Each structure stands twice: as structure tokens, then as C-alpha cells.
Amino acid sequence: MRRFIVVGHQAVTTPDFGLDDLAGATGRLDVLLRCVNSAFMLSHGLREDTELHLALLGPPGPPTVLHFVGAELRHLNPDERSTAALVRKALARGKEGRSTPGIHVRYQDFHGLLQEFSETLVLLREDGQDLRRAELGLDPTFLLSDHRDFSREEAAAIQAVGPPVVAVGPRALHADHCIVLVHNELDRRRP
Ligand SMILES: C[S@@+](CC[C@H](N)C(=O)[O-])C[C@H]1O[C@@H](n2cnc3c(N)ncnc32)[C@H](O)[C@@H]1O
């Protein structure tokens, strides 16, 4: 199993957004939608061995976690717009549980997520140990931020868990690109 947690610091927690301005009025939900694509999309199929938690921390009702389960996912297409429609449906649910196949809504805060995956957590950060030489365990849970760095409080909470810090390369990349590189490394290790 491969897991990714991506924190959307301003990503909206309401379904009241249009599909025509995903990079504008949604608290950069577009960044997270691209992470969904990178986490699950193969050229011909979906990665069934992968799960993704999107932690939405924007207004009006944070925190909301959207949990994507690769083995259960249906109706997921490569484009951001149709994935945004699935996210909108999940946010419209208004209570915890499954919204569409493979997408589950949870009201869990960042600390709860950290605790749940503390045993397998790997922090992705550009100043970390080289991914190519990192010991990752069998079920790693990779933690990334969106377009913003983790807040001071979040960084302290992560430090308290003390995960290994791993870099996919020397340059600061977009979160979705990091996910692709992690998948590629794991594919090479365990095809
Ligand atoms: C766009 S970056 C965040 C902002 C970034 N610190 C900057 O200077 O623009 C999004 C996330 O991708 C991950 N990331 C970016 N580059 C990375 C790298 N070279 N190795 C590992 N993780 C990386 C980190 O988790 C980071 O929080």
C-alpha cells in the first residue's frame, strides 16, 4: 500500500464553487486535484494499491478530509474538472461516509491524521535524504503540503512524530510532480 496525505491550507470545504475557476475561487483546489490525478492515474487504468487523503483546511468548515481509495474508485477521469465535480459531491454530503465509490468524507484534523499514520509517515521536503537511497518500509505514508509551506504549528506537530524526511530531488517541485516521482521510485523497487 502507498499512501499520500496532501494538506490544502486554504482549500474550500463547501461545495459552492464553480467548475470554471478552479484555480481562483477554491483556495487552490486545483493543486489538490492534480495530486489526485498523479496519485491514481496510469496510462490505462488506476493505481489500486494507492490511497490519498486530501486535508481541506479552508473555509467555511475545516477540517474536512477526503479519503480516496484506489481499489474502490469509480468515475475518476484524468481531467481536473470532472474530479472537481466528485469533490463537490463529497463536500455536499454534509456528513461523514462514502460519497461516491472510493471517496470517503471524514472530519478529522491534521493532528488526528498525523497520529493515525505516525508509524509509516515519511515527510517529503526538498532538504531531505535522497529518495533513491531512502528506506521506506512496506506501507509508506508520504506527507506533502500544497503551494504553501507547513505552518509553524503544523511543523512542530510533524516534528513531534519525527518522520524521516525525504527529498525526491534537489529542486522545489509541485506536490503533484513529487507524487509521480515517488510512484516511479516505488514502481522500480516493486514492479
Ligand atoms: C510547491 S511545494 C511547497 C512550497 C515550496 N516550499 C516552495 O518553496 O515553493 C509543495 C510540496 O511538495 C513537496 N516538495 C517539493 N519539492 C520537493 C522535493 N524536492 N523533495 C521532496 N518534496 C518536495 C513538499 O512536501 C512541499 O511542501
Short mmCIF file of all heavy atoms in Angstrom, two decimals, residues 4-17 26-36 52-68 83-84 86-93 99 103-111 113 143-147 150 154:
data_model
loop_
_atom_site.label_atom_id
_atom_site.label_comp_id
_atom_site.label_asym_id
_atom_site.label_seq_id
_atom_site.Cartn_x
_atom_site.Cartn_y
_atom_site.Cartn_z
N PHE A 4 -0.69 8.78 0.40
CA PHE A 4 -0.25 10.17 0.34
C PHE A 4 -1.25 11.01 1.14
O PHE A 4 -2.46 10.79 1.07
CB PHE A 4 -0.21 10.68 -1.11
CG PHE A 4 0.78 9.95 -1.97
CD1 PHE A 4 0.40 8.81 -2.69
CD2 PHE A 4 2.09 10.37 -2.06
CE1 PHE A 4 1.30 8.12 -3.48
CE2 PHE A 4 3.02 9.68 -2.84
CZ PHE A 4 2.62 8.55 -3.56
N ILE A 5 -0.70 11.95 1.90
CA ILE A 5 -1.53 12.97 2.56
C ILE A 5 -1.09 14.31 2.00
O ILE A 5 0.10 14.65 2.05
CB ILE A 5 -1.31 12.98 4.09
CG1 ILE A 5 -1.67 11.62 4.71
CG2 ILE A 5 -2.11 14.10 4.74
CD1 ILE A 5 -1.28 11.51 6.19
N VAL A 6 -2.04 15.06 1.46
CA VAL A 6 -1.71 16.41 0.97
C VAL A 6 -2.57 17.41 1.73
O VAL A 6 -3.79 17.27 1.79
CB VAL A 6 -1.95 16.54 -0.55
CG1 VAL A 6 -1.46 17.90 -1.03
CG2 VAL A 6 -1.27 15.42 -1.32
N VAL A 7 -1.91 18.41 2.29
CA VAL A 7 -2.60 19.42 3.09
C VAL A 7 -2.90 20.64 2.21
O VAL A 7 -1.99 21.27 1.67
CB VAL A 7 -1.74 19.84 4.30
CG1 VAL A 7 -2.45 20.94 5.11
CG2 VAL A 7 -1.46 18.63 5.18
N GLY A 8 -4.20 20.92 2.08
CA GLY A 8 -4.64 22.11 1.33
C GLY A 8 -4.99 23.21 2.31
O GLY A 8 -6.10 23.22 2.85
N HIS A 9 -4.06 24.12 2.54
CA HIS A 9 -4.22 25.07 3.65
C HIS A 9 -5.43 25.99 3.50
O HIS A 9 -6.03 26.40 4.48
CB HIS A 9 -2.94 25.88 3.82
CG HIS A 9 -1.83 25.09 4.40
ND1 HIS A 9 -0.89 24.45 3.64
CD2 HIS A 9 -1.56 24.77 5.69
CE1 HIS A 9 -0.04 23.80 4.44
NE2 HIS A 9 -0.43 23.97 5.68
N GLN A 10 -5.75 26.33 2.25
CA GLN A 10 -6.88 27.24 2.04
C GLN A 10 -8.00 26.59 1.22
O GLN A 10 -8.96 27.25 0.85
CB GLN A 10 -6.39 28.48 1.29
CG GLN A 10 -5.34 29.28 2.06
CD GLN A 10 -4.60 30.24 1.15
OE1 GLN A 10 -4.09 29.84 0.10
NE2 GLN A 10 -4.55 31.49 1.53
N ALA A 11 -7.87 25.30 0.96
CA ALA A 11 -8.83 24.62 0.08
C ALA A 11 -10.22 24.62 0.70
O ALA A 11 -10.40 24.25 1.86
CB ALA A 11 -8.37 23.19 -0.19
N VAL A 12 -11.20 25.03 -0.09
CA VAL A 12 -12.55 25.24 0.43
C VAL A 12 -13.18 23.94 0.93
O VAL A 12 -12.89 22.85 0.43
CB VAL A 12 -13.48 25.87 -0.63
CG1 VAL A 12 -13.07 27.30 -0.93
CG2 VAL A 12 -13.52 25.02 -1.90
N THR A 13 -14.07 24.12 1.91
CA THR A 13 -14.78 22.97 2.48
C THR A 13 -16.28 23.11 2.23
O THR A 13 -17.09 22.57 2.97
CB THR A 13 -14.50 22.88 4.00
OG1 THR A 13 -14.57 24.20 4.57
CG2 THR A 13 -13.11 22.32 4.25
N THR A 14 -16.62 23.84 1.18
CA THR A 14 -18.01 23.98 0.75
C THR A 14 -18.12 23.48 -0.69
O THR A 14 -17.16 23.60 -1.46
CB THR A 14 -18.46 25.46 0.80
OG1 THR A 14 -19.73 25.58 0.17
CG2 THR A 14 -17.47 26.37 0.06
N PRO A 15 -19.31 22.94 -1.06
CA PRO A 15 -19.49 22.55 -2.47
C PRO A 15 -19.88 23.72 -3.35
O PRO A 15 -20.06 23.56 -4.56
CB PRO A 15 -20.65 21.54 -2.37
CG PRO A 15 -21.42 21.96 -1.18
CD PRO A 15 -20.44 22.55 -0.20
N ASP A 16 -19.99 24.92 -2.76
CA ASP A 16 -20.47 26.07 -3.53
C ASP A 16 -19.35 26.73 -4.30
O ASP A 16 -18.93 27.86 -3.99
CB ASP A 16 -21.14 27.09 -2.58
CG ASP A 16 -22.33 26.48 -1.87
OD1 ASP A 16 -22.95 25.57 -2.46
OD2 ASP A 16 -22.61 26.89 -0.73
N PHE A 17 -18.83 26.03 -5.28
CA PHE A 17 -17.84 26.65 -6.17
C PHE A 17 -18.12 26.19 -7.59
O PHE A 17 -18.65 25.10 -7.83
CB PHE A 17 -16.40 26.31 -5.75
CG PHE A 17 -16.06 24.84 -5.74
CD1 PHE A 17 -15.68 24.18 -6.91
CD2 PHE A 17 -16.12 24.11 -4.56
CE1 PHE A 17 -15.35 22.82 -6.90
CE2 PHE A 17 -15.80 22.76 -4.53
CZ PHE A 17 -15.42 22.11 -5.70
N THR A 26 -11.33 28.71 -5.16
CA THR A 26 -11.44 27.46 -4.38
C THR A 26 -10.33 27.29 -3.36
O THR A 26 -10.20 26.22 -2.77
CB THR A 26 -11.40 26.24 -5.32
OG1 THR A 26 -10.11 26.23 -5.96
CG2 THR A 26 -12.50 26.29 -6.36
N GLY A 27 -9.49 28.30 -3.15
CA GLY A 27 -8.36 28.13 -2.24
C GLY A 27 -7.33 27.17 -2.80
O GLY A 27 -6.73 26.39 -2.06
N ARG A 28 -7.16 27.23 -4.12
CA ARG A 28 -6.19 26.40 -4.85
C ARG A 28 -6.51 24.91 -4.78
O ARG A 28 -5.61 24.06 -4.65
CB ARG A 28 -4.76 26.67 -4.39
CG ARG A 28 -4.25 28.07 -4.65
CD ARG A 28 -4.42 28.54 -6.10
NE ARG A 28 -3.91 27.65 -7.13
CZ ARG A 28 -2.67 27.68 -7.59
NH1 ARG A 28 -1.84 28.58 -7.14
NH2 ARG A 28 -2.28 26.84 -8.53
N LEU A 29 -7.80 24.62 -4.88
CA LEU A 29 -8.21 23.22 -5.00
C LEU A 29 -7.57 22.57 -6.23
O LEU A 29 -7.35 21.36 -6.26
CB LEU A 29 -9.74 23.16 -5.11
CG LEU A 29 -10.42 21.82 -4.88
CD1 LEU A 29 -10.11 21.27 -3.49
CD2 LEU A 29 -11.93 21.96 -5.07
N ASP A 30 -7.26 23.40 -7.23
CA ASP A 30 -6.65 22.84 -8.46
C ASP A 30 -5.35 22.09 -8.16
O ASP A 30 -5.05 21.07 -8.78
CB ASP A 30 -6.39 23.96 -9.49
CG ASP A 30 -5.42 25.01 -8.98
OD1 ASP A 30 -5.62 25.51 -7.84
OD2 ASP A 30 -4.45 25.33 -9.69
N VAL A 31 -4.59 22.59 -7.16
CA VAL A 31 -3.33 21.92 -6.77
C VAL A 31 -3.65 20.50 -6.28
O VAL A 31 -2.99 19.52 -6.65
CB VAL A 31 -2.61 22.72 -5.66
CG1 VAL A 31 -1.41 21.95 -5.13
CG2 VAL A 31 -2.20 24.09 -6.18
N LEU A 32 -4.70 20.40 -5.47
CA LEU A 32 -5.06 19.09 -4.90
C LEU A 32 -5.66 18.17 -5.96
O LEU A 32 -5.45 16.95 -5.93
CB LEU A 32 -6.05 19.28 -3.74
CG LEU A 32 -5.60 20.22 -2.62
CD1 LEU A 32 -6.58 20.18 -1.46
CD2 LEU A 32 -4.22 19.84 -2.11
N LEU A 33 -6.39 18.74 -6.91
CA LEU A 33 -6.98 17.92 -7.97
C LEU A 33 -5.88 17.29 -8.83
O LEU A 33 -5.98 16.14 -9.25
CB LEU A 33 -7.91 18.78 -8.84
CG LEU A 33 -9.12 19.37 -8.12
CD1 LEU A 33 -9.84 20.38 -9.00
CD2 LEU A 33 -10.07 18.27 -7.67
N ARG A 34 -4.82 18.06 -9.04
CA ARG A 34 -3.70 17.48 -9.79
C ARG A 34 -3.03 16.37 -8.99
O ARG A 34 -2.50 15.40 -9.55
CB ARG A 34 -2.70 18.58 -10.18
CG ARG A 34 -3.22 19.47 -11.31
CD ARG A 34 -2.13 20.34 -11.90
NE ARG A 34 -1.75 21.44 -11.03
CZ ARG A 34 -2.40 22.59 -10.93
NH1 ARG A 34 -3.47 22.82 -11.66
NH2 ARG A 34 -1.99 23.54 -10.11
N CYS A 35 -3.04 16.50 -7.66
CA CYS A 35 -2.49 15.42 -6.83
C CYS A 35 -3.32 14.15 -6.95
O CYS A 35 -2.77 13.04 -6.92
CB CYS A 35 -2.42 15.87 -5.36
SG CYS A 35 -1.14 17.10 -5.05
N VAL A 36 -4.64 14.30 -7.07
CA VAL A 36 -5.50 13.12 -7.27
C VAL A 36 -5.09 12.43 -8.57
O VAL A 36 -4.89 11.21 -8.61
CB VAL A 36 -7.00 13.53 -7.34
CG1 VAL A 36 -7.86 12.31 -7.67
CG2 VAL A 36 -7.45 14.17 -6.03
N LEU A 52 -5.18 8.17 -0.96
CA LEU A 52 -4.83 9.59 -0.85
C LEU A 52 -5.79 10.27 0.12
O LEU A 52 -7.00 10.06 0.04
CB LEU A 52 -4.95 10.25 -2.23
CG LEU A 52 -4.89 11.78 -2.30
CD1 LEU A 52 -3.49 12.28 -1.98
CD2 LEU A 52 -5.32 12.27 -3.69
N HIS A 53 -5.21 11.04 1.03
CA HIS A 53 -6.02 11.85 1.93
C HIS A 53 -5.79 13.31 1.58
O HIS A 53 -4.65 13.79 1.67
CB HIS A 53 -5.61 11.63 3.39
CG HIS A 53 -5.82 10.22 3.86
ND1 HIS A 53 -6.92 9.84 4.60
CD2 HIS A 53 -5.08 9.11 3.69
CE1 HIS A 53 -6.85 8.55 4.87
NE2 HIS A 53 -5.73 8.08 4.33
N LEU A 54 -6.84 14.00 1.19
CA LEU A 54 -6.75 15.45 0.97
C LEU A 54 -7.29 16.12 2.22
O LEU A 54 -8.48 15.98 2.54
CB LEU A 54 -7.57 15.88 -0.25
CG LEU A 54 -7.15 15.33 -1.60
CD1 LEU A 54 -8.06 15.92 -2.69
CD2 LEU A 54 -5.69 15.64 -1.91
N ALA A 55 -6.43 16.85 2.94
CA ALA A 55 -6.87 17.57 4.13
C ALA A 55 -7.23 18.98 3.71
O ALA A 55 -6.36 19.79 3.37
CB ALA A 55 -5.75 17.58 5.17
N LEU A 56 -8.52 19.28 3.70
CA LEU A 56 -9.01 20.59 3.27
C LEU A 56 -9.16 21.47 4.51
O LEU A 56 -9.97 21.17 5.39
CB LEU A 56 -10.35 20.46 2.55
CG LEU A 56 -10.46 19.38 1.47
CD1 LEU A 56 -11.85 19.41 0.83
CD2 LEU A 56 -9.39 19.55 0.40
N LEU A 57 -8.39 22.55 4.55
CA LEU A 57 -8.37 23.38 5.76
C LEU A 57 -8.92 24.78 5.54
O LEU A 57 -8.79 25.65 6.39
CB LEU A 57 -6.93 23.48 6.30
CG LEU A 57 -6.22 22.15 6.60
CD1 LEU A 57 -4.86 22.41 7.23
CD2 LEU A 57 -7.08 21.28 7.51
N GLY A 58 -9.56 24.99 4.39
CA GLY A 58 -10.09 26.32 4.09
C GLY A 58 -11.52 26.50 4.59
O GLY A 58 -12.12 25.58 5.14
N PRO A 59 -12.09 27.70 4.37
CA PRO A 59 -13.44 27.98 4.85
C PRO A 59 -14.52 27.25 4.03
O PRO A 59 -14.23 26.81 2.91
CB PRO A 59 -13.54 29.50 4.63
CG PRO A 59 -12.60 29.79 3.51
CD PRO A 59 -11.47 28.80 3.64
N PRO A 60 -15.72 27.05 4.55
CA PRO A 60 -16.18 27.56 5.84
C PRO A 60 -16.11 26.53 6.97
O PRO A 60 -16.29 26.92 8.12
CB PRO A 60 -17.65 27.89 5.55
CG PRO A 60 -18.05 26.85 4.56
CD PRO A 60 -16.84 26.58 3.71
N GLY A 61 -15.85 25.25 6.66
CA GLY A 61 -16.00 24.22 7.70
C GLY A 61 -14.83 23.29 7.87
O GLY A 61 -15.00 22.07 7.82
N PRO A 62 -13.60 23.82 8.04
CA PRO A 62 -12.47 22.91 8.20
C PRO A 62 -12.50 22.24 9.56
O PRO A 62 -13.13 22.77 10.48
CB PRO A 62 -11.26 23.85 8.10
CG PRO A 62 -11.76 25.15 8.64
CD PRO A 62 -13.22 25.22 8.22
N PRO A 63 -11.83 21.12 9.78
CA PRO A 63 -11.12 20.39 8.74
C PRO A 63 -12.02 19.32 8.11
O PRO A 63 -12.83 18.71 8.79
CB PRO A 63 -9.99 19.73 9.54
CG PRO A 63 -10.60 19.47 10.89
CD PRO A 63 -11.62 20.55 11.12
N THR A 64 -11.85 19.14 6.83
CA THR A 64 -12.53 18.04 6.13
C THR A 64 -11.46 17.24 5.40
O THR A 64 -10.63 17.81 4.70
CB THR A 64 -13.56 18.57 5.12
OG1 THR A 64 -14.56 19.32 5.82
CG2 THR A 64 -14.23 17.43 4.37
N VAL A 65 -11.50 15.92 5.59
CA VAL A 65 -10.56 15.05 4.89
C VAL A 65 -11.34 14.25 3.85
O VAL A 65 -12.35 13.63 4.17
CB VAL A 65 -9.85 14.08 5.86
CG1 VAL A 65 -9.00 13.08 5.08
CG2 VAL A 65 -8.99 14.86 6.84
N LEU A 66 -10.86 14.30 2.59
CA LEU A 66 -11.42 13.44 1.55
C LEU A 66 -10.44 12.30 1.35
O LEU A 66 -9.28 12.51 0.99
CB LEU A 66 -11.62 14.23 0.25
CG LEU A 66 -12.55 15.45 0.35
CD1 LEU A 66 -12.74 16.08 -1.02
CD2 LEU A 66 -13.89 15.07 0.96
N HIS A 67 -10.94 11.10 1.59
CA HIS A 67 -10.10 9.89 1.54
C HIS A 67 -10.42 9.14 0.26
O HIS A 67 -11.54 8.64 0.09
CB HIS A 67 -10.40 9.05 2.80
CG HIS A 67 -9.66 7.77 2.85
ND1 HIS A 67 -10.05 6.72 3.65
CD2 HIS A 67 -8.54 7.35 2.23
CE1 HIS A 67 -9.22 5.72 3.51
NE2 HIS A 67 -8.28 6.07 2.64
N PHE A 68 -9.45 9.07 -0.64
CA PHE A 68 -9.60 8.38 -1.92
C PHE A 68 -8.96 6.99 -1.80
O PHE A 68 -7.79 6.89 -1.41
CB PHE A 68 -8.90 9.14 -3.05
CG PHE A 68 -9.53 10.47 -3.39
CD1 PHE A 68 -9.44 11.55 -2.53
CD2 PHE A 68 -10.20 10.64 -4.59
CE1 PHE A 68 -10.01 12.78 -2.85
CE2 PHE A 68 -10.77 11.86 -4.93
CZ PHE A 68 -10.67 12.94 -4.06
N THR A 83 -12.92 15.66 -11.77
CA THR A 83 -12.52 15.31 -10.39
C THR A 83 -13.08 16.36 -9.42
O THR A 83 -13.53 16.03 -8.32
CB THR A 83 -10.99 15.23 -10.27
OG1 THR A 83 -10.51 14.32 -11.25
CG2 THR A 83 -10.57 14.74 -8.88
N ALA A 84 -13.07 17.63 -9.85
CA ALA A 84 -13.66 18.69 -9.02
C ALA A 84 -15.14 18.42 -8.77
O ALA A 84 -15.65 18.68 -7.68
CB ALA A 84 -13.47 20.05 -9.68
N LEU A 86 -16.50 15.50 -8.52
CA LEU A 86 -16.57 14.45 -7.48
C LEU A 86 -16.32 15.05 -6.09
O LEU A 86 -16.96 14.68 -5.11
CB LEU A 86 -15.54 13.35 -7.77
CG LEU A 86 -15.78 12.49 -9.01
CD1 LEU A 86 -14.61 11.52 -9.23
CD2 LEU A 86 -17.09 11.72 -8.90
N VAL A 87 -15.36 15.98 -6.03
CA VAL A 87 -15.05 16.64 -4.76
C VAL A 87 -16.26 17.46 -4.29
O VAL A 87 -16.62 17.45 -3.11
CB VAL A 87 -13.80 17.55 -4.90
CG1 VAL A 87 -13.67 18.51 -3.73
CG2 VAL A 87 -12.55 16.68 -5.03
N ARG A 88 -16.90 18.12 -5.23
CA ARG A 88 -18.08 18.92 -4.89
C ARG A 88 -19.18 18.03 -4.31
O ARG A 88 -19.82 18.37 -3.32
CB ARG A 88 -18.56 19.64 -6.15
CG ARG A 88 -19.17 20.96 -5.88
CD ARG A 88 -19.26 21.84 -7.10
NE ARG A 88 -19.95 21.25 -8.23
CZ ARG A 88 -20.32 21.95 -9.31
NH1 ARG A 88 -20.07 23.25 -9.36
NH2 ARG A 88 -20.92 21.38 -10.30
N LYS A 89 -19.36 16.88 -4.94
CA LYS A 89 -20.38 15.93 -4.45
C LYS A 89 -20.03 15.47 -3.03
O LYS A 89 -20.90 15.36 -2.16
CB LYS A 89 -20.44 14.74 -5.41
CG LYS A 89 -21.70 13.94 -5.32
CD LYS A 89 -21.73 12.84 -6.38
CE LYS A 89 -22.56 13.24 -7.57
NZ LYS A 89 -22.80 12.14 -8.51
N ALA A 90 -18.73 15.22 -2.79
CA ALA A 90 -18.30 14.77 -1.46
C ALA A 90 -18.57 15.86 -0.42
O ALA A 90 -19.07 15.59 0.67
CB ALA A 90 -16.82 14.40 -1.48
N LEU A 91 -18.28 17.11 -0.79
CA LEU A 91 -18.47 18.20 0.17
C LEU A 91 -19.96 18.49 0.39
O LEU A 91 -20.35 18.97 1.45
CB LEU A 91 -17.74 19.46 -0.32
CG LEU A 91 -16.21 19.36 -0.30
CD1 LEU A 91 -15.57 20.57 -0.98
CD2 LEU A 91 -15.69 19.24 1.13
N ALA A 92 -20.77 18.17 -0.60
CA ALA A 92 -22.21 18.40 -0.46
C ALA A 92 -22.86 17.36 0.45
O ALA A 92 -23.98 17.55 0.92
CB ALA A 92 -22.88 18.36 -1.83
N ARG A 93 -22.16 16.27 0.71
CA ARG A 93 -22.73 15.20 1.53
C ARG A 93 -23.10 15.71 2.93
O ARG A 93 -24.12 15.33 3.49
CB ARG A 93 -21.72 14.04 1.61
CG ARG A 93 -22.24 12.84 2.31
CD ARG A 93 -21.20 11.73 2.34
NE ARG A 93 -21.45 10.85 3.47
CZ ARG A 93 -22.38 9.91 3.47
NH1 ARG A 93 -23.08 9.70 2.39
NH2 ARG A 93 -22.58 9.18 4.56
N SER A 99 -19.15 9.14 -0.40
CA SER A 99 -19.98 9.97 -1.28
C SER A 99 -20.17 9.30 -2.62
O SER A 99 -21.29 9.18 -3.11
CB SER A 99 -19.38 11.37 -1.44
OG SER A 99 -18.10 11.30 -2.01
N ILE A 103 -14.51 7.33 -2.60
CA ILE A 103 -14.29 8.66 -1.99
C ILE A 103 -15.10 8.76 -0.70
O ILE A 103 -16.33 8.62 -0.71
CB ILE A 103 -14.65 9.80 -2.95
CG1 ILE A 103 -13.87 9.66 -4.26
CG2 ILE A 103 -14.36 11.16 -2.30
CD1 ILE A 103 -14.12 10.75 -5.27
N HIS A 104 -14.38 8.95 0.40
CA HIS A 104 -14.98 8.97 1.72
C HIS A 104 -14.71 10.32 2.38
O HIS A 104 -13.60 10.85 2.29
CB HIS A 104 -14.39 7.85 2.60
CG HIS A 104 -14.53 6.49 1.98
ND1 HIS A 104 -15.51 5.61 2.33
CD2 HIS A 104 -13.81 5.89 0.99
CE1 HIS A 104 -15.40 4.50 1.61
NE2 HIS A 104 -14.37 4.64 0.78
N VAL A 105 -15.71 10.84 3.07
CA VAL A 105 -15.60 12.12 3.78
C VAL A 105 -15.36 11.84 5.25
O VAL A 105 -16.04 11.00 5.85
CB VAL A 105 -16.91 12.94 3.63
CG1 VAL A 105 -16.78 14.29 4.34
CG2 VAL A 105 -17.27 13.12 2.17
N ARG A 106 -14.38 12.53 5.81
CA ARG A 106 -14.12 12.40 7.25
C ARG A 106 -13.86 13.79 7.82
O ARG A 106 -13.28 14.64 7.15
CB ARG A 106 -12.87 11.53 7.50
CG ARG A 106 -13.01 10.13 6.96
CD ARG A 106 -11.68 9.42 6.95
NE ARG A 106 -11.18 9.17 8.30
CZ ARG A 106 -9.97 8.69 8.56
NH1 ARG A 106 -9.13 8.43 7.58
NH2 ARG A 106 -9.59 8.47 9.79
N TYR A 107 -14.28 14.00 9.05
CA TYR A 107 -13.99 15.27 9.72
C TYR A 107 -12.88 15.02 10.72
O TYR A 107 -13.11 14.76 11.89
CB TYR A 107 -15.26 15.82 10.39
CG TYR A 107 -16.36 16.08 9.40
CD1 TYR A 107 -17.65 15.61 9.60
CD2 TYR A 107 -16.11 16.80 8.24
CE1 TYR A 107 -18.65 15.85 8.67
CE2 TYR A 107 -17.09 17.03 7.30
CZ TYR A 107 -18.36 16.56 7.52
OH TYR A 107 -19.34 16.79 6.59
N GLN A 108 -11.67 15.04 10.21
CA GLN A 108 -10.51 14.72 11.05
C GLN A 108 -9.51 15.86 10.93
O GLN A 108 -9.28 16.36 9.82
CB GLN A 108 -9.89 13.41 10.53
CG GLN A 108 -8.77 12.87 11.38
CD GLN A 108 -8.24 11.56 10.82
OE1 GLN A 108 -8.23 11.36 9.60
NE2 GLN A 108 -7.78 10.68 11.68
N ASP A 109 -8.92 16.26 12.05
CA ASP A 109 -7.97 17.36 11.94
C ASP A 109 -6.56 16.84 11.61
O ASP A 109 -6.32 15.63 11.56
CB ASP A 109 -7.98 18.24 13.20
CG ASP A 109 -7.49 17.51 14.44
OD1 ASP A 109 -6.94 16.39 14.30
OD2 ASP A 109 -7.67 18.05 15.54
N PHE A 110 -5.67 17.78 11.38
CA PHE A 110 -4.32 17.44 10.94
C PHE A 110 -3.61 16.57 11.98
O PHE A 110 -2.94 15.59 11.64
CB PHE A 110 -3.54 18.74 10.69
CG PHE A 110 -2.14 18.52 10.22
CD1 PHE A 110 -1.88 17.89 9.01
CD2 PHE A 110 -1.06 18.97 10.97
CE1 PHE A 110 -0.58 17.68 8.56
CE2 PHE A 110 0.24 18.78 10.53
CZ PHE A 110 0.48 18.13 9.33
N HIS A 111 -3.82 16.89 13.26
CA HIS A 111 -3.17 16.12 14.32
C HIS A 111 -3.67 14.67 14.32
O HIS A 111 -2.89 13.73 14.52
CB HIS A 111 -3.41 16.77 15.69
CG HIS A 111 -2.78 18.12 15.79
ND1 HIS A 111 -1.50 18.31 16.28
CD2 HIS A 111 -3.22 19.34 15.42
CE1 HIS A 111 -1.20 19.60 16.22
NE2 HIS A 111 -2.22 20.23 15.70
N LEU A 113 -4.77 12.99 11.74
CA LEU A 113 -4.14 12.30 10.60
C LEU A 113 -2.71 11.89 10.94
O LEU A 113 -2.28 10.77 10.64
CB LEU A 113 -4.11 13.23 9.38
CG LEU A 113 -5.30 13.21 8.42
CD1 LEU A 113 -5.08 14.25 7.34
CD2 LEU A 113 -5.51 11.84 7.82
N LEU A 143 3.78 12.53 3.28
CA LEU A 143 3.10 13.77 3.67
C LEU A 143 3.66 14.94 2.87
O LEU A 143 4.88 15.15 2.83
CB LEU A 143 3.31 14.01 5.17
CG LEU A 143 2.79 15.32 5.75
CD1 LEU A 143 1.26 15.40 5.63
CD2 LEU A 143 3.21 15.46 7.22
N LEU A 144 2.75 15.68 2.23
CA LEU A 144 3.15 16.84 1.44
C LEU A 144 2.25 18.02 1.77
O LEU A 144 1.10 17.85 2.20
CB LEU A 144 2.97 16.59 -0.07
CG LEU A 144 3.60 15.39 -0.72
CD1 LEU A 144 2.61 14.22 -0.76
CD2 LEU A 144 4.04 15.72 -2.13
N SER A 145 2.78 19.20 1.50
CA SER A 145 1.97 20.40 1.60
C SER A 145 1.52 20.83 0.20
O SER A 145 1.98 20.27 -0.80
CB SER A 145 2.77 21.51 2.28
OG SER A 145 1.93 22.63 2.52
N ASP A 146 0.61 21.79 0.13
CA ASP A 146 0.16 22.28 -1.19
C ASP A 146 1.12 23.35 -1.70
O ASP A 146 2.34 23.15 -1.66
CB ASP A 146 -1.29 22.77 -1.11
CG ASP A 146 -1.50 23.86 -0.04
OD1 ASP A 146 -0.54 24.19 0.68
OD2 ASP A 146 -2.62 24.39 0.05
N HIS A 147 0.62 24.49 -2.13
CA HIS A 147 1.50 25.54 -2.65
C HIS A 147 2.15 26.35 -1.53
O HIS A 147 3.00 27.18 -1.78
CB HIS A 147 0.70 26.48 -3.58
CG HIS A 147 -0.44 27.14 -2.88
ND1 HIS A 147 -1.51 26.44 -2.38
CD2 HIS A 147 -0.68 28.44 -2.60
CE1 HIS A 147 -2.36 27.28 -1.82
NE2 HIS A 147 -1.87 28.50 -1.93
N PHE A 150 4.25 24.20 5.34
CA PHE A 150 3.53 23.91 6.57
C PHE A 150 3.67 25.10 7.52
O PHE A 150 4.72 25.75 7.58
CB PHE A 150 4.09 22.64 7.23
CG PHE A 150 3.72 21.38 6.50
CD1 PHE A 150 4.66 20.65 5.79
CD2 PHE A 150 2.40 20.93 6.51
CE1 PHE A 150 4.30 19.49 5.11
CE2 PHE A 150 2.04 19.77 5.84
CZ PHE A 150 2.98 19.05 5.14
N GLU A 154 2.00 23.36 12.48
CA GLU A 154 1.98 22.06 11.80
C GLU A 154 3.38 21.44 11.81
O GLU A 154 3.54 20.23 12.05
CB GLU A 154 1.50 22.23 10.36
CG GLU A 154 0.01 22.54 10.24
CD GLU A 154 -0.37 23.09 8.87
OE1 GLU A 154 0.54 23.46 8.08
OE2 GLU A 154 -1.56 23.17 8.59
#
